[in-house]
Amino acid sequence: MPHDDFHVEPVPGLPERPPEGEQILWQGRPNWWALTVQSLNLYWVAGYFVLLFAWRFVTLFDQVGMAHAFRVSFPFLIIGAVAAALLLLIGYVQARATVYTITNRRVAMRVGAALTVTLNLPFSRIASADLALRRSGNGTIALDLMDPPPLSYLTCWPHVRPWHVRKPQPALRSIDDAARIARLIADTAEAQLNAPKLARTPTAAETTGADDIAPGAVPAE
């Protein structure tokens, strides 16, 4: 089947419509500012260039004067501002390209700005969900999988648990109201895993009838 480069998702965040009986319970995306700060270390990068400016200024102002020292040191602030602007742009694009979906059967993650990847994680494969909550209510929910698929940390970044490179854990990064979403995942997973599994058992008549037929015999019509 030819690939349609202009194919539109039938449901935002999902490559196809959910099968019968599956219901979407929640959809969301990262808070772009929180994603930039937490995954791209915006404050650390900005602070680094401010520190370079301060170090340069302090080492020069007593030798060449305050005005000249400021002019010589000021380029560090310009470079820092450009770097921060690029990080903000990357964080915004990453957040806008991401859709997290929770249904009554799975967690789906459509991630990636340049290379789009959709992860489908049934609750039966999720061993635990770990919540890292901040005082603002924003947080990250990392999913520890029982049978991890061959995920690439770099391909899924930043939508993975930080520093878990050898065994990447998909993560709903920097989402608002994270405690409520974590509770939704826990309750839905518990309900899904405890749901009764229905199977058809042959009746006594069917079993007896099958036993009465000799091997190789053809039943009479």
Side-chain angles (χ1 to χ4, degrees), residues 30-39 42-43 84 88 91-92 95 138 174:
N31 180 304
W32 74 272
W33 173 261
L35 184 68
T36 305
V37 172
Q38 297 169 18
S39 67
L42 175 65
Y43 292 158
L88 288 170
Y92 179 80
N138 185 277
S174 307

Side-chain angles (χ1 to χ4, degrees), residues 97-121:
T98 300
V99 178
Y100 301 138
T101 304
I102 299 175
T103 75
N104 58 336
R105 296 179 181 176
R106 58 176 165 158
V107 177
M109 302 169 56
R110 198 276 308 275
V111 301
L115 177 62
T116 302
V117 177
T118 301
L119 304 178
N120 288 300
L121 309 173

Side-chain angles (χ1 to χ4, degrees), residues 202-220:
T203 63
E206 292 174 336
T207 304
T208 303
D211 294 339
D212 291 342
I213 300 175
V218 179

Side-chain angles (χ1 to χ4, degrees), residues 126-183:
I126 299 177
S128 64
D130 300 323
L131 171 64
L133 188 64
R134 297 176 178 269
R135 284 184 292 182
S136 63
N138 185 277
T140 294
I141 304 173
L143 305 177
D144 187 13
L145 305 181
M146 297 179 185
D147 184 20
L151 296 175
S152 169
Y153 186 91
L154 293 179
T155 300
C156 297
W157 183 89
H159 311 279
V160 287
R161 189 173 188 175
W163 309 115
H164 285 64
V165 179
R166 296 186 61 184
K167 184 183 176 183
Q169 296 182 8
L172 281 65
R173 291 294 301 268
S174 307
I175 57 175
D176 294 326
D177 203 7
R180 182 180 68 85
I181 304 306
R183 173 52 55 189

